[in-house]
Amino acid sequence: LRFGALGRILFLKIFFKTKYLTQSELDEVNKKNVLYYGWEYPTQLLVITICFTYACISPIILPVGAVYFLGALLVYKKQILVVYCPTYESGGTMFPSACHRTLTGLLCGQVTLIGYSILKQGFYQPLFLLPLLVFTVGMMNVYKKLYAEPGRQLSIEKALSLDKHSTAVKSFRKDCYRQPVLAEGPAEPKSSNGFTNGSMLGRSKLFEQNPDDESGGKLV
């Protein structure tokens, strides 16, 4: 719930009449909201990290967290489909980082469980819990290798589809990615009369072949 947008609408509805507002003011009031990923993602990650960390200390937090995320699923699903107006598409760029941080929160919960067991003078239980840390870190590396790193690249199927429907020239030159100024060939300097060296050489050969030209002389 965004209290700023709700308060703005209630204020205008209570103290102003719609017929006295201009169209630009009405558009400003009824404009579609934007989903702030920088606010929503950290909020959900913070909640799940708290649930993982304090689950061993107070297990009642787990059903409370489950109810919270069930409500978040219903609310955000409705808001993303109906309320929020996306201004850009990230293409799932944030999903691998969200999964990585979720597993990091799970690591925090496991470390807390091991430390809490030691505080309760349970010295044998941490020995059986240590493999959980190794397994979680290993799975984080596996997910990164199988999903995160390949997800940054374009798939072969998608690349073939784009090439098939592309209208661009399919020839590749070694200067494709160079600046046009740096990719130009050697240029011939112009003389003071406006002719290049190549054109002057051509005119000299022409005069050599035609000595009886109207100019009356041979240009060497």
Side-chain angles (χ1 to χ4, degrees), residues 7 9 35 54-55 57 66 89 124 135 179 186 190 209 213:
I9 294 176
L35 180 61
Y54 290 94
I57 301 175
E89 295 290 341
Y124 296 102
F135 178 76
Q179 297 182 12
K190 290 186 177 181
Q209 296 175 359
D213 190 70

Side-chain angles (χ1 to χ4, degrees), residues 194-219:
F195 296 102
T196 61
N197 294 335
S199 62
M200 291 292 294
L201 181 60
R203 288 175 62 85
S204 64
K205 291 182 178 179
L206 180 63
F207 278 104
E208 287 179 357
Q209 296 175 359
N210 300 284
D212 299 329
D213 190 70
E214 295 179 355
S215 60
K218 184 176 9 178
L219 179 62

